[in-house]
Structures are given as C-alpha cells and as structure tokens.
Amino acid sequence: MRGEDLESSRAKDRGESSSSTSYAIEERDNQWTSWLIPMFVVANVAMFVITMLINNCPKHNPRFDGKCVARFLGRFSFQPLKENPLLGPSASTLEKLGALEWRKVVHKHQGWRLISCIWLHAGVIHLLVNMLSLVIIGIHLEQQFGFVRIGVIYLLSGFGGSILSSLFIQRSISVGASGALFGLLGAMLAELITNWTIYTNKAAAILTIIFIVAINLGVGILPHVDNYAHIGGFLTGFLLGFILLPRPQYGWINRRDLPAGVRSRSRYKAYQYGLGLVSLILLVAGFTVGLVMLFRGENANDRCHWCHYLNCVPTSRWKCDDN
C-alpha cells in the first residue's frame, strides 16, 4: 500500500471529513519514460564495437593469426583465450582507447581516463553482464526519479570508483561500468533508508538489496576483478542517494490546496535533510581527499596494509597480484 493511501485511510478512521483530507496528501506519483539508460547501453555496445574494430586481432597480432578466437568475424575476432578469456580485445587496445592506468593519469595528466574507462569493457562476457545489470537496475530507477538524477548518480559513481581504484591499483589497467552500476545499487539502498516510512515490506526490501550487494562484492575478491571500483562506486552512489533521492513523506500538504491562513507541513522530514547534508559533506570531502592523494602520486596501500584483501583473497587455487 502506498503511503498516501495509508495516511488517507487513517484519516478516515479518525472520523475526519473528506474536505479536511482532500488536500492533506499529494497522491501524484510521476513516472518518467526511461531513455537515458537505454542510451547508455547503446553507447557501451557501440564503444565495444569500435574497440574490436581498432583491435583487429589478425592484423595487429600476426603471431596469433590462427589463434584469434572466432576468426570468421575477421577484424572483429577476439584475442586468444590465454590472453583474454572474456572474449575481447588486447590490453594495449583498451589502454589506447582510455582504460584507467595510474601512471598516465598521474604523470601524463590524463585525468579524463577516470571517466573514459567506464565506457570500455574487457570482453563480450564483461559487456553482457554489465549491460544486463544496467537495464534491470537503471530503467526502474530512471522511471522513478528521472534521467537527471540517475544520470548524475551513474556518472559520479563511475568517477568515484575510478578514483578509489587508481589509488590502490597502480600496476595494471582497469575498465568497465561496474563502478557506476554499484553506485546505482548504493543509491537504491540509500533511497530505501531515507524514504523508510513509505515502504511496507521494509525488512524484505533492505535484505534483498544487501544480499545483492554482498554477492557482487564477494565476486569482487576473485583475481582479475577490480573490487576497489565496485566499493568506490557503491559508496559514492550511497551518499548521492541521500542527497538526490528523498521522497515527500506522509502528511505533506500542498500549499495550493490549503485554505487561507493554514500553514503547510514540510515536504520532507528533518532526518532526510540531515542525512542529505551529512552525505554532501562526506561526498565532497571524499572526492577532495581522493583526488589530492591521486595527483600527488600516493599509494593508498601504504596507508591501509590490509585493504588489499578487499580486492583479492589468495587461496590455494590462485595468487593475487595487480595483473
């Protein structure tokens, strides 16, 4: 049951007249048409096609000419599986097109890589998993909150994930939209918390989101997965959710419907303003500190000696490194 319906029914149970409750709750629930998220999907797919076109395995890797995967695709064929098991281009091609690489960001002043890397993918498998997740998560959020807020969350979360990744991983490249996707997950969790009172199945909703995030972060401790980008994107989206996604709570009275001389209630609760303000301060501070550390060339591993376990946990089956 929506919060508006619940509040209206309670008013009727208290014996209030229809005239006194007709203006007490705003019942409009705008639904936006999702177009930005589909455009993001198209942009990512198009960028992957361009990447494979430039990669051209048979021409640029003559020693692999017979070992390129799916040779019938011609210049779109994939690198040998030993080099790229995700069915994609070479690392050198990704680096050429804007992959996140610490030395080029810091020493060659190519800060644009912090954004360009989120539009590149390491292979078909990588692309399909991320785009499927983007469609499932992003379209719903865009329909609820509009393209501006969701677009801001997506881009800033990808940026935040890139900052954290480059602070900890400095000997390999990183690509993918997963930092931005984790930002959308973080925003969903924050939206649930800040709009707590309008949901009915609160426990089920929050446990579902936490379970999804935990599973994905758990996958991130496998080798060759940039879990720092996941964590940075999630934290950025989580803070942005408190800033951009609060909803009007129970009892909001529309000023236009009020009788003369009657004061309206605030659209938002005090705790929503508080969470938004604290989140804004933390977000600005986090971005500032992260960027200062990054362009000073600092290695965050020197300040956190156990943080490498957040990105990869060594086992008897694999070793952890930056490659």
Side-chain angles (χ1 to χ4, degrees), residues 231-268:
I231 296 170
F234 177 82
L235 292 176
T236 302
F238 185 67
L239 295 176
L240 284 170
F242 289 117
I243 300 170
L244 298 176
L245 304 184
R247 296 175 185 265
Q249 299 297 290
Y250 293 159
W252 174 49
I253 300 177
N254 193 330
R255 289 179 180 272
R256 293 175 300 179
D257 298 328
L258 284 172
V262 178
R263 299 178 60 185
S264 68
R265 304 181 192 176
S266 172
R267 293 187 61 177
Y268 302 101

PDB file of all heavy atoms in Angstrom, residues 231-268:
ATOM      1  N   ILE A 231      33.609  -0.857  -4.799  1.00  0.00           N
ATOM      2  CA  ILE A 231      33.428  -0.245  -3.479  1.00  0.00           C
ATOM      3  C   ILE A 231      33.323   1.275  -3.598  1.00  0.00           C
ATOM      4  O   ILE A 231      32.448   1.908  -2.993  1.00  0.00           O
ATOM      5  CB  ILE A 231      34.588  -0.630  -2.546  1.00  0.00           C
ATOM      6  CG1 ILE A 231      34.579  -2.148  -2.292  1.00  0.00           C
ATOM      7  CG2 ILE A 231      34.505   0.125  -1.224  1.00  0.00           C
ATOM      8  CD1 ILE A 231      35.803  -2.664  -1.576  1.00  0.00           C
ATOM      9  N   GLY A 232      34.213   1.869  -4.382  1.00  0.00           N
ATOM     10  CA  GLY A 232      34.165   3.318  -4.566  1.00  0.00           C
ATOM     11  C   GLY A 232      32.874   3.775  -5.207  1.00  0.00           C
ATOM     12  O   GLY A 232      32.288   4.784  -4.809  1.00  0.00           O
ATOM     13  N   GLY A 233      32.407   3.029  -6.208  1.00  0.00           N
ATOM     14  CA  GLY A 233      31.148   3.374  -6.857  1.00  0.00           C
ATOM     15  C   GLY A 233      29.967   3.215  -5.911  1.00  0.00           C
ATOM     16  O   GLY A 233      29.065   4.067  -5.889  1.00  0.00           O
ATOM     17  N   PHE A 234      29.977   2.140  -5.129  1.00  0.00           N
ATOM     18  CA  PHE A 234      28.870   1.907  -4.184  1.00  0.00           C
ATOM     19  C   PHE A 234      28.796   3.020  -3.144  1.00  0.00           C
ATOM     20  O   PHE A 234      27.709   3.534  -2.863  1.00  0.00           O
ATOM     21  CB  PHE A 234      29.047   0.555  -3.498  1.00  0.00           C
ATOM     22  CG  PHE A 234      28.004   0.261  -2.471  1.00  0.00           C
ATOM     23  CD1 PHE A 234      26.766  -0.232  -2.845  1.00  0.00           C
ATOM     24  CD2 PHE A 234      28.245   0.495  -1.119  1.00  0.00           C
ATOM     25  CE1 PHE A 234      25.782  -0.490  -1.904  1.00  0.00           C
ATOM     26  CE2 PHE A 234      27.270   0.241  -0.172  1.00  0.00           C
ATOM     27  CZ  PHE A 234      26.039  -0.263  -0.558  1.00  0.00           C
ATOM     28  N   LEU A 235      29.930   3.392  -2.559  1.00  0.00           N
ATOM     29  CA  LEU A 235      29.933   4.435  -1.532  1.00  0.00           C
ATOM     30  C   LEU A 235      29.483   5.779  -2.112  1.00  0.00           C
ATOM     31  O   LEU A 235      28.728   6.516  -1.467  1.00  0.00           O
ATOM     32  CB  LEU A 235      31.329   4.560  -0.925  1.00  0.00           C
ATOM     33  CG  LEU A 235      31.804   3.361  -0.087  1.00  0.00           C
ATOM     34  CD1 LEU A 235      33.239   3.571   0.377  1.00  0.00           C
ATOM     35  CD2 LEU A 235      30.882   3.123   1.107  1.00  0.00           C
ATOM     36  N   THR A 236      29.947   6.083  -3.330  1.00  0.00           N
ATOM     37  CA  THR A 236      29.525   7.331  -3.972  1.00  0.00           C
ATOM     38  C   THR A 236      28.023   7.346  -4.218  1.00  0.00           C
ATOM     39  O   THR A 236      27.330   8.319  -3.910  1.00  0.00           O
ATOM     40  CB  THR A 236      30.273   7.519  -5.302  1.00  0.00           C
ATOM     41  OG1 THR A 236      31.683   7.517  -5.074  1.00  0.00           O
ATOM     42  CG2 THR A 236      29.858   8.832  -5.961  1.00  0.00           C
ATOM     43  N   GLY A 237      27.497   6.257  -4.790  1.00  0.00           N
ATOM     44  CA  GLY A 237      26.062   6.182  -5.047  1.00  0.00           C
ATOM     45  C   GLY A 237      25.243   6.193  -3.767  1.00  0.00           C
ATOM     46  O   GLY A 237      24.150   6.778  -3.733  1.00  0.00           O
ATOM     47  N   PHE A 238      25.767   5.562  -2.724  1.00  0.00           N
ATOM     48  CA  PHE A 238      25.068   5.530  -1.432  1.00  0.00           C
ATOM     49  C   PHE A 238      24.890   6.940  -0.886  1.00  0.00           C
ATOM     50  O   PHE A 238      23.787   7.322  -0.460  1.00  0.00           O
ATOM     51  CB  PHE A 238      25.867   4.669  -0.462  1.00  0.00           C
ATOM     52  CG  PHE A 238      25.205   4.457   0.867  1.00  0.00           C
ATOM     53  CD1 PHE A 238      24.035   3.722   0.973  1.00  0.00           C
ATOM     54  CD2 PHE A 238      25.765   4.984   2.026  1.00  0.00           C
ATOM     55  CE1 PHE A 238      23.427   3.517   2.210  1.00  0.00           C
ATOM     56  CE2 PHE A 238      25.172   4.788   3.263  1.00  0.00           C
ATOM     57  CZ  PHE A 238      23.991   4.049   3.355  1.00  0.00           C
ATOM     58  N   LEU A 239      25.947   7.731  -0.924  1.00  0.00           N
ATOM     59  CA  LEU A 239      25.853   9.118  -0.435  1.00  0.00           C
ATOM     60  C   LEU A 239      24.959   9.959  -1.337  1.00  0.00           C
ATOM     61  O   LEU A 239      24.162  10.769  -0.855  1.00  0.00           O
ATOM     62  CB  LEU A 239      27.253   9.724  -0.340  1.00  0.00           C
ATOM     63  CG  LEU A 239      28.197   9.090   0.692  1.00  0.00           C
ATOM     64  CD1 LEU A 239      29.578   9.715   0.607  1.00  0.00           C
ATOM     65  CD2 LEU A 239      27.637   9.223   2.102  1.00  0.00           C
ATOM     66  N   LEU A 240      25.082   9.767  -2.644  1.00  0.00           N
ATOM     67  CA  LEU A 240      24.251  10.529  -3.572  1.00  0.00           C
ATOM     68  C   LEU A 240      22.771  10.186  -3.425  1.00  0.00           C
ATOM     69  O   LEU A 240      21.901  11.023  -3.663  1.00  0.00           O
ATOM     70  CB  LEU A 240      24.695  10.264  -5.012  1.00  0.00           C
ATOM     71  CG  LEU A 240      25.986  10.959  -5.461  1.00  0.00           C
ATOM     72  CD1 LEU A 240      26.442  10.424  -6.807  1.00  0.00           C
ATOM     73  CD2 LEU A 240      25.790  12.467  -5.526  1.00  0.00           C
ATOM     74  N   GLY A 241      22.468   8.952  -3.031  1.00  0.00           N
ATOM     75  CA  GLY A 241      21.081   8.561  -2.833  1.00  0.00           C
ATOM     76  C   GLY A 241      20.396   9.387  -1.756  1.00  0.00           C
ATOM     77  O   GLY A 241      19.225   9.768  -1.898  1.00  0.00           O
ATOM     78  N   PHE A 242      21.115   9.702  -0.681  1.00  0.00           N
ATOM     79  CA  PHE A 242      20.551  10.535   0.380  1.00  0.00           C
ATOM     80  C   PHE A 242      20.364  11.981  -0.085  1.00  0.00           C
ATOM     81  O   PHE A 242      19.479  12.688   0.398  1.00  0.00           O
ATOM     82  CB  PHE A 242      21.465  10.516   1.607  1.00  0.00           C
ATOM     83  CG  PHE A 242      21.477   9.213   2.341  1.00  0.00           C
ATOM     84  CD1 PHE A 242      22.646   8.472   2.439  1.00  0.00           C
ATOM     85  CD2 PHE A 242      20.331   8.715   2.930  1.00  0.00           C
ATOM     86  CE1 PHE A 242      22.662   7.268   3.118  1.00  0.00           C
ATOM     87  CE2 PHE A 242      20.333   7.505   3.614  1.00  0.00           C
ATOM     88  CZ  PHE A 242      21.518   6.778   3.700  1.00  0.00           C
ATOM     89  N   ILE A 243      21.213  12.413  -1.022  1.00  0.00           N
ATOM     90  CA  ILE A 243      21.154  13.791  -1.496  1.00  0.00           C
ATOM     91  C   ILE A 243      20.078  13.982  -2.565  1.00  0.00           C
ATOM     92  O   ILE A 243      19.333  14.971  -2.544  1.00  0.00           O
ATOM     93  CB  ILE A 243      22.528  14.214  -2.065  1.00  0.00           C
ATOM     94  CG1 ILE A 243      23.602  14.104  -0.993  1.00  0.00           C
ATOM     95  CG2 ILE A 243      22.468  15.630  -2.630  1.00  0.00           C
ATOM     96  CD1 ILE A 243      25.017  14.257  -1.518  1.00  0.00           C
ATOM     97  N   LEU A 244      19.972  13.024  -3.482  1.00  0.00           N
ATOM     98  CA  LEU A 244      19.142  13.211  -4.673  1.00  0.00           C
ATOM     99  C   LEU A 244      17.828  12.446  -4.679  1.00  0.00           C
ATOM    100  O   LEU A 244      16.944  12.785  -5.477  1.00  0.00           O
ATOM    101  CB  LEU A 244      19.943  12.805  -5.928  1.00  0.00           C
ATOM    102  CG  LEU A 244      21.215  13.604  -6.214  1.00  0.00           C
ATOM    103  CD1 LEU A 244      21.933  13.024  -7.429  1.00  0.00           C
ATOM    104  CD2 LEU A 244      20.897  15.070  -6.433  1.00  0.00           C
ATOM    105  N   LEU A 245      17.673  11.433  -3.828  1.00  0.00           N
ATOM    106  CA  LEU A 245      16.506  10.567  -3.964  1.00  0.00           C
ATOM    107  C   LEU A 245      15.509  10.568  -2.806  1.00  0.00           C
ATOM    108  O   LEU A 245      14.715   9.627  -2.687  1.00  0.00           O
ATOM    109  CB  LEU A 245      16.963   9.112  -4.207  1.00  0.00           C
ATOM    110  CG  LEU A 245      17.887   8.879  -5.400  1.00  0.00           C
ATOM    111  CD1 LEU A 245      18.161   7.393  -5.565  1.00  0.00           C
ATOM    112  CD2 LEU A 245      17.298   9.468  -6.676  1.00  0.00           C
ATOM    113  N   PRO A 246      15.480  11.575  -1.947  1.00  0.00           N
ATOM    114  CA  PRO A 246      14.433  11.576  -0.920  1.00  0.00           C
ATOM    115  C   PRO A 246      13.064  11.834  -1.544  1.00  0.00           C
ATOM    116  O   PRO A 246      12.939  12.575  -2.528  1.00  0.00           O
ATOM    117  CB  PRO A 246      14.844  12.714   0.016  1.00  0.00           C
ATOM    118  CG  PRO A 246      15.615  13.644  -0.856  1.00  0.00           C
ATOM    119  CD  PRO A 246      16.347  12.770  -1.840  1.00  0.00           C
ATOM    120  N   ARG A 247      12.047  11.213  -0.984  1.00  0.00           N
ATOM    121  CA  ARG A 247      10.667  11.416  -1.436  1.00  0.00           C
ATOM    122  C   ARG A 247       9.893  12.176  -0.361  1.00  0.00           C
ATOM    123  O   ARG A 247      10.211  12.067   0.820  1.00  0.00           O
ATOM    124  CB  ARG A 247       9.965  10.078  -1.677  1.00  0.00           C
ATOM    125  CG  ARG A 247      10.544   9.223  -2.785  1.00  0.00           C
ATOM    126  CD  ARG A 247       9.805   7.901  -2.798  1.00  0.00           C
ATOM    127  NE  ARG A 247      10.336   6.933  -3.727  1.00  0.00           N
ATOM    128  CZ  ARG A 247       9.883   6.749  -4.962  1.00  0.00           C
ATOM    129  NH1 ARG A 247       8.894   7.494  -5.411  1.00  0.00           N
ATOM    130  NH2 ARG A 247      10.410   5.826  -5.747  1.00  0.00           N
ATOM    131  N   PRO A 248       8.843  12.909  -0.740  1.00  0.00           N
ATOM    132  CA  PRO A 248       7.967  13.519   0.263  1.00  0.00           C
ATOM    133  C   PRO A 248       7.369  12.436   1.143  1.00  0.00           C
ATOM    134  O   PRO A 248       6.975  11.378   0.660  1.00  0.00           O
ATOM    135  CB  PRO A 248       6.893  14.211  -0.588  1.00  0.00           C
ATOM    136  CG  PRO A 248       7.530  14.421  -1.909  1.00  0.00           C
ATOM    137  CD  PRO A 248       8.445  13.259  -2.113  1.00  0.00           C
ATOM    138  N   GLN A 249       7.310  12.703   2.436  1.00  0.00           N
ATOM    139  CA  GLN A 249       6.841  11.706   3.376  1.00  0.00           C
ATOM    140  C   GLN A 249       5.356  11.900   3.695  1.00  0.00           C
ATOM    141  O   GLN A 249       4.686  12.767   3.161  1.00  0.00           O
ATOM    142  CB  GLN A 249       7.671  11.776   4.664  1.00  0.00           C
ATOM    143  CG  GLN A 249       9.154  11.509   4.416  1.00  0.00           C
ATOM    144  CD  GLN A 249       9.434  10.116   3.889  1.00  0.00           C
ATOM    145  OE1 GLN A 249       9.280   9.140   4.617  1.00  0.00           O
ATOM    146  NE2 GLN A 249       9.834  10.014   2.629  1.00  0.00           N
ATOM    147  N   TYR A 250       4.850  11.076   4.581  1.00  0.00           N
ATOM    148  CA  TYR A 250       3.441  11.148   4.985  1.00  0.00           C
ATOM    149  C   TYR A 250       3.093  12.549   5.466  1.00  0.00           C
ATOM    150  O   TYR A 250       3.874  13.213   6.120  1.00  0.00           O
ATOM    151  CB  TYR A 250       3.167  10.191   6.150  1.00  0.00           C
ATOM    152  CG  TYR A 250       3.288   8.751   5.801  1.00  0.00           C
ATOM    153  CD1 TYR A 250       3.500   7.805   6.803  1.00  0.00           C
ATOM    154  CD2 TYR A 250       3.184   8.297   4.490  1.00  0.00           C
ATOM    155  CE1 TYR A 250       3.605   6.465   6.506  1.00  0.00           C
ATOM    156  CE2 TYR A 250       3.285   6.969   4.183  1.00  0.00           C
ATOM    157  CZ  TYR A 250       3.497   6.051   5.198  1.00  0.00           C
ATOM    158  OH  TYR A 250       3.610   4.722   4.902  1.00  0.00           O
ATOM    159  N   GLY A 251       1.894  12.965   5.114  1.00  0.00           N
ATOM    160  CA  GLY A 251       1.369  14.196   5.678  1.00  0.00           C
ATOM    161  C   GLY A 251       1.778  15.465   4.970  1.00  0.00           C
ATOM    162  O   GLY A 251       1.564  16.549   5.485  1.00  0.00           O
ATOM    163  N   TRP A 252       2.380  15.340   3.771  1.00  0.00           N
ATOM    164  CA  TRP A 252       2.728  16.568   3.076  1.00  0.00           C
ATOM    165  C   TRP A 252       1.466  17.234   2.544  1.00  0.00           C
ATOM    166  O   TRP A 252       0.653  16.627   1.876  1.00  0.00           O
ATOM    167  CB  TRP A 252       3.688  16.291   1.913  1.00  0.00           C
ATOM    168  CG  TRP A 252       3.951  17.525   1.100  1.00  0.00           C
ATOM    169  CD1 TRP A 252       4.289  18.744   1.573  1.00  0.00           C
ATOM    170  CD2 TRP A 252       3.846  17.648  -0.315  1.00  0.00           C
ATOM    171  NE1 TRP A 252       4.433  19.647   0.549  1.00  0.00           N
ATOM    172  CE2 TRP A 252       4.163  18.991  -0.631  1.00  0.00           C
ATOM    173  CE3 TRP A 252       3.527  16.769  -1.347  1.00  0.00           C
ATOM    174  CZ2 TRP A 252       4.167  19.467  -1.931  1.00  0.00           C
ATOM    175  CZ3 TRP A 252       3.537  17.252  -2.640  1.00  0.00           C
ATOM    176  CH2 TRP A 252       3.855  18.585  -2.927  1.00  0.00           C
ATOM    177  N   ILE A 253       1.339  18.496   2.813  1.00  0.00           N
ATOM    178  CA  ILE A 253       0.175  19.268   2.369  1.00  0.00           C
ATOM    179  C   ILE A 253       0.597  20.226   1.262  1.00  0.00           C
ATOM    180  O   ILE A 253       1.520  21.010   1.430  1.00  0.00           O
ATOM    181  CB  ILE A 253      -0.434  20.061   3.547  1.00  0.00           C
ATOM    182  CG1 ILE A 253      -0.875  19.098   4.640  1.00  0.00           C
ATOM    183  CG2 ILE A 253      -1.607  20.895   3.070  1.00  0.00           C
ATOM    184  CD1 ILE A 253      -1.407  19.807   5.864  1.00  0.00           C
ATOM    185  N   ASN A 254      -0.072  20.144   0.150  1.00  0.00           N
ATOM    186  CA  ASN A 254       0.223  21.017  -0.984  1.00  0.00           C
ATOM    187  C   ASN A 254      -0.274  22.431  -0.672  1.00  0.00           C
ATOM    188  O   ASN A 254      -1.432  22.631  -0.330  1.00  0.00           O
ATOM    189  CB  ASN A 254      -0.480  20.479  -2.234  1.00  0.00           C
ATOM    190  CG  ASN A 254       0.047  21.144  -3.495  1.00  0.00           C
ATOM    191  OD1 ASN A 254       0.464  22.294  -3.473  1.00  0.00           O
ATOM    192  ND2 ASN A 254       0.011  20.395  -4.584  1.00  0.00           N
ATOM    193  N   ARG A 255       0.607  23.417  -0.796  1.00  0.00           N
ATOM    194  CA  ARG A 255       0.261  24.800  -0.462  1.00  0.00           C
ATOM    195  C   ARG A 255      -0.935  25.293  -1.273  1.00  0.00           C
ATOM    196  O   ARG A 255      -1.769  26.039  -0.787  1.00  0.00           O
ATOM    197  CB  ARG A 255       1.462  25.719  -0.719  1.00  0.00           C
ATOM    198  CG  ARG A 255       2.604  25.543   0.256  1.00  0.00           C
ATOM    199  CD  ARG A 255       3.754  26.481  -0.114  1.00  0.00           C
ATOM    200  NE  ARG A 255       4.873  26.331   0.794  1.00  0.00           N
ATOM    201  CZ  ARG A 255       5.010  26.997   1.928  1.00  0.00           C
ATOM    202  NH1 ARG A 255       4.075  27.850   2.284  1.00  0.00           N
ATOM    203  NH2 ARG A 255       6.048  26.819   2.696  1.00  0.00           N
ATOM    204  N   ARG A 256      -1.022  24.904  -2.532  1.00  0.00           N
ATOM    205  CA  ARG A 256      -2.091  25.400  -3.395  1.00  0.00           C
ATOM    206  C   ARG A 256      -3.465  24.937  -2.940  1.00  0.00           C
ATOM    207  O   ARG A 256      -4.473  25.553  -3.258  1.00  0.00           O
ATOM    208  CB  ARG A 256      -1.840  24.934  -4.831  1.00  0.00           C
ATOM    209  CG  ARG A 256      -0.602  25.562  -5.462  1.00  0.00           C
ATOM    210  CD  ARG A 256      -0.327  24.981  -6.831  1.00  0.00           C
ATOM    211  NE  ARG A 256      -0.107  23.538  -6.757  1.00  0.00           N
ATOM    212  CZ  ARG A 256       0.131  22.765  -7.806  1.00  0.00           C
ATOM    213  NH1 ARG A 256       0.143  23.303  -9.018  1.00  0.00           N
ATOM    214  NH2 ARG A 256       0.332  21.469  -7.658  1.00  0.00           N
ATOM    215  N   ASP A 257      -3.521  23.831  -2.198  1.00  0.00           N
ATOM    216  CA  ASP A 257      -4.809  23.290  -1.773  1.00  0.00           C
ATOM    217  C   ASP A 257      -5.200  23.723  -0.364  1.00  0.00           C
ATOM    218  O   ASP A 257      -6.249  23.318   0.142  1.00  0.00           O
ATOM    219  CB  ASP A 257      -4.775  21.758  -1.831  1.00  0.00           C
ATOM    220  CG  ASP A 257      -4.548  21.242  -3.242  1.00  0.00           C
ATOM    221  OD1 ASP A 257      -4.998  21.916  -4.180  1.00  0.00           O
ATOM    222  OD2 ASP A 257      -3.914  20.183  -3.400  1.00  0.00           O
ATOM    223  N   LEU A 258      -4.364  24.528   0.288  1.00  0.00           N
ATOM    224  CA  LEU A 258      -4.641  24.923   1.663  1.00  0.00           C
ATOM    225  C   LEU A 258      -5.635  26.077   1.740  1.00  0.00           C
ATOM    226  O   LEU A 258      -5.581  27.002   0.924  1.00  0.00           O
ATOM    227  CB  LEU A 258      -3.345  25.351   2.351  1.00  0.00           C
ATOM    228  CG  LEU A 258      -2.386  24.233   2.781  1.00  0.00           C
ATOM    229  CD1 LEU A 258      -1.088  24.849   3.267  1.00  0.00           C
ATOM    230  CD2 LEU A 258      -3.004  23.370   3.854  1.00  0.00           C
ATOM    231  N   PRO A 259      -6.513  26.030   2.707  1.00  0.00           N
ATOM    232  CA  PRO A 259      -7.385  27.191   2.963  1.00  0.00           C
ATOM    233  C   PRO A 259      -6.532  28.374   3.422  1.00  0.00           C
ATOM    234  O   PRO A 259      -5.421  28.207   3.905  1.00  0.00           O
ATOM    235  CB  PRO A 259      -8.304  26.702   4.091  1.00  0.00           C
ATOM    236  CG  PRO A 259      -8.209  25.214   4.054  1.00  0.00           C
ATOM    237  CD  PRO A 259      -6.828  24.896   3.585  1.00  0.00           C
ATOM    238  N   ALA A 260      -7.048  29.558   3.271  1.00  0.00           N
ATOM    239  CA  ALA A 260      -6.331  30.758   3.673  1.00  0.00           C
ATOM    240  C   ALA A 260      -6.020  30.714   5.161  1.00  0.00           C
ATOM    241  O   ALA A 260      -6.860  30.345   5.983  1.00  0.00           O
ATOM    242  CB  ALA A 260      -7.152  32.007   3.346  1.00  0.00           C
ATOM    243  N   GLY A 261      -4.792  31.085   5.493  1.00  0.00           N
ATOM    244  CA  GLY A 261      -4.405  31.156   6.898  1.00  0.00           C
ATOM    245  C   GLY A 261      -3.904  29.855   7.474  1.00  0.00           C
ATOM    246  O   GLY A 261      -3.487  29.820   8.635  1.00  0.00           O
ATOM    247  N   VAL A 262      -3.932  28.758   6.707  1.00  0.00           N
ATOM    248  CA  VAL A 262      -3.465  27.458   7.206  1.00  0.00           C
ATOM    249  C   VAL A 262      -2.050  27.217   6.707  1.00  0.00           C
ATOM    250  O   VAL A 262      -1.770  27.342   5.520  1.00  0.00           O
ATOM    251  CB  VAL A 262      -4.390  26.311   6.723  1.00  0.00           C
ATOM    252  CG1 VAL A 262      -3.857  24.968   7.212  1.00  0.00           C
ATOM    253  CG2 VAL A 262      -5.789  26.546   7.231  1.00  0.00           C
ATOM    254  N   ARG A 263      -1.137  26.877   7.593  1.00  0.00           N
ATOM    255  CA  ARG A 263       0.256  26.644   7.246  1.00  0.00           C
ATOM    256  C   ARG A 263       0.439  25.200   6.764  1.00  0.00           C
ATOM    257  O   ARG A 263      -0.192  24.290   7.265  1.00  0.00           O
ATOM    258  CB  ARG A 263       1.157  26.916   8.452  1.00  0.00           C
ATOM    259  CG  ARG A 263       1.101  28.348   8.964  1.00  0.00           C
ATOM    260  CD  ARG A 263       1.983  28.523  10.172  1.00  0.00           C
ATOM    261  NE  ARG A 263       3.378  28.207   9.852  1.00  0.00           N
ATOM    262  CZ  ARG A 263       4.345  28.191  10.758  1.00  0.00           C
ATOM    263  NH1 ARG A 263       4.063  28.452  12.028  1.00  0.00           N
ATOM    264  NH2 ARG A 263       5.581  27.910  10.386  1.00  0.00           N
ATOM    265  N   SER A 264       1.313  25.036   5.791  1.00  0.00           N
ATOM    266  CA  SER A 264       1.571  23.688   5.260  1.00  0.00           C
ATOM    267  C   SER A 264       2.695  23.008   6.030  1.00  0.00           C
ATOM    268  O   SER A 264       3.520  23.666   6.668  1.00  0.00           O
ATOM    269  CB  SER A 264       1.958  23.773   3.779  1.00  0.00           C
ATOM    270  OG  SER A 264       3.210  24.405   3.641  1.00  0.00           O
ATOM    271  N   ARG A 265       2.702  21.706   5.952  1.00  0.00           N
ATOM    272  CA  ARG A 265       3.805  20.942   6.528  1.00  0.00           C
ATOM    273  C   ARG A 265       4.949  20.865   5.513  1.00  0.00           C
ATOM    274  O   ARG A 265       4.755  21.043   4.332  1.00  0.00           O
ATOM    275  CB  ARG A 265       3.342  19.525   6.874  1.00  0.00           C
ATOM    276  CG  ARG A 265       2.148  19.456   7.793  1.00  0.00           C
ATOM    277  CD  ARG A 265       1.810  18.013   8.067  1.00  0.00           C
ATOM    278  NE  ARG A 265       0.512  17.879   8.711  1.00  0.00           N
ATOM    279  CZ  ARG A 265      -0.039  16.706   8.994  1.00  0.00           C
ATOM    280  NH1 ARG A 265       0.582  15.591   8.690  1.00  0.00           N
ATOM    281  NH2 ARG A 265      -1.222  16.657   9.586  1.00  0.00           N
ATOM    282  N   SER A 266       6.136  20.566   6.014  1.00  0.00           N
ATOM    283  CA  SER A 266       7.284  20.411   5.137  1.00  0.00           C
ATOM    284  C   SER A 266       7.134  19.140   4.309  1.00  0.00           C
ATOM    285  O   SER A 266       6.583  18.145   4.771  1.00  0.00           O
ATOM    286  CB  SER A 266       8.571  20.322   5.969  1.00  0.00           C
ATOM    287  OG  SER A 266       9.670  19.997   5.156  1.00  0.00           O
ATOM    288  N   ARG A 267       7.622  19.182   3.072  1.00  0.00           N
ATOM    289  CA  ARG A 267       7.557  18.006   2.211  1.00  0.00           C
ATOM    290  C   ARG A 267       8.421  16.876   2.751  1.00  0.00           C
ATOM    291  O   ARG A 267       8.136  15.716   2.550  1.00  0.00           O
ATOM    292  CB  ARG A 267       8.023  18.358   0.793  1.00  0.00           C
ATOM    293  CG  ARG A 267       7.122  19.292   0.049  1.00  0.00           C
ATOM    294  CD  ARG A 267       7.579  19.443  -1.389  1.00  0.00           C
ATOM    295  NE  ARG A 267       7.564  18.177  -2.095  1.00  0.00           N
ATOM    296  CZ  ARG A 267       7.868  18.031  -3.373  1.00  0.00           C
ATOM    297  NH1 ARG A 267       8.237  19.081  -4.078  1.00  0.00           N
ATOM    298  NH2 ARG A 267       7.828  16.860  -3.948  1.00  0.00           N
ATOM    299  N   TYR A 268       9.516  17.246   3.415  1.00  0.00           N
ATOM    300  CA  TYR A 268      10.483  16.250   3.855  1.00  0.00           C
ATOM    301  C   TYR A 268      10.667  16.310   5.364  1.00  0.00           C
ATOM    302  O   TYR A 268      10.477  17.341   5.996  1.00  0.00           O
ATOM    303  CB  TYR A 268      11.825  16.475   3.153  1.00  0.00           C
ATOM    304  CG  TYR A 268      11.708  16.426   1.648  1.00  0.00           C
ATOM    305  CD1 TYR A 268      11.678  17.607   0.901  1.00  0.00           C
ATOM    306  CD2 TYR A 268      11.615  15.222   0.972  1.00  0.00           C
ATOM    307  CE1 TYR A 268      11.561  17.576  -0.483  1.00  0.00           C
ATOM    308  CE2 TYR A 268      11.494  15.181  -0.408  1.00  0.00           C
ATOM    309  CZ  TYR A 268      11.468  16.353  -1.130  1.00  0.00           C
ATOM    310  OH  TYR A 268      11.344  16.318  -2.488  1.00  0.00           O
TER     311      TYR A 268
END
